Amino acid sequence: MSAPTALSPATTQTFRTLEPTSGVKRRVLLGVDHLPALARGCALFGGGGGGDPTVGLLMAREAIQNHGPVPLVDLDDLPADGLVLPCGYVGAPTVLREKLQNGWEGRRLVEEVESLFGRSVVAIMPIEIGGANGMVPLNWAARLRLPYVDADGMGRAFPTIPQMTMNLAGVPSTPCVIVDERMNTLVVRTGDVAWTEHLLRTAVSAFGGAASGAMYVMTVATARAATVRRSVSRALNLGSAVLLGNGDPVAALVSETDAIELIRGKVVEVARETSGRFVRGSAVISDPAGNRLLRLEIQNEFLVALEEGYVQASVPDIITVIDLHTGEPIVTERLRFGQQVSVVSFPVDPAWRTAAGLALTGPAAFGYDVPYVPVEMIHARPI
């Protein structure tokens, strides 16, 4: 079978390794010991979205225990004509907590993609590093004994399929494949990414609000210029720094990312519902003296932080909320009244600060009539 036209070319740090793989540069083996740090980093890059990484951590831990550690590889060390499979969980994050996968969805995705494209998948890549989607594909990589690419399609979490760097680079989003835990499988072909988003969301609703998907399938050569490189190792490094941050995760996050703490206080109001296949709502945080109120707008992720009507941070920059008692980032579906939190924002990957990137992920893309200003400029801090 000949490959479809979707394969046409599109216009660090280091961390401790459990076992170096000889003969291949920039490759390490991701083992069980890496997972807590990776999950913490994914949660921080998720900006409240991407699903609860705990689910992905548990799945990845079981798979690695049963099938062995997973090589984390740089795209430069893979064959240029091999297929990269960007994949992950598609649906409302609240559903992921209750509608669990069976673990072998990745095998079905790989089988379908290899049949469609007529060539082998050489590596698994998360569609987004943020939240559970930075972890869930690792489970599939372990089960299939495929390497995990040190890259992703967002550098954070976003709620929709068009909001990926592969779209910015002109990589076709289809043919794409979705599969549920019963192995019901659907292949979608569309003329543009807007239709991909529409049809996949409709299908996912029919699947019960959640499914696993593979999209933007591309060659390694294309992926080298169409993805956020080294994002997995960045998440692992950040998570390690925060976990080892001497009991002060906020200080560690600020040190590692030049993040800015917007407020520290108590959650005094939360309004949230699953609507239109997304978690939507808002939350208000008050400082201890009650003199300041910071409002967070939500659509799966924390999108905009407002104080007295003025934007303090906004997409595409990352806004994350940290529980001051546990040190853990709080995903939007777990935000509750009374939690003691710190709200922190830090810069996003530069790809999203371009004109094309802002058209897809800036405040206006989510319906907010405010201009995007980089968070470090709002707070007059150089980075």
Side-chain angles (χ1 to χ4, degrees), residues 113-132:
V113 165
E114 289 183 339
S115 176
L116 287 167
F117 287 86
R119 65 177 77 184
S120 298
V121 170
V122 298
I124 300 290
M125 187 187 89
I127 53 175
E128 60 184 351
I129 192 61

Side-chain angles (χ1 to χ4, degrees), residues 159-175:
T160 72
I161 291 167
Q163 293 167 322
M164 297 190 194
T165 53
M166 291 82 78
N167 185 28
L168 286 180
V171 180
S173 58
T174 64

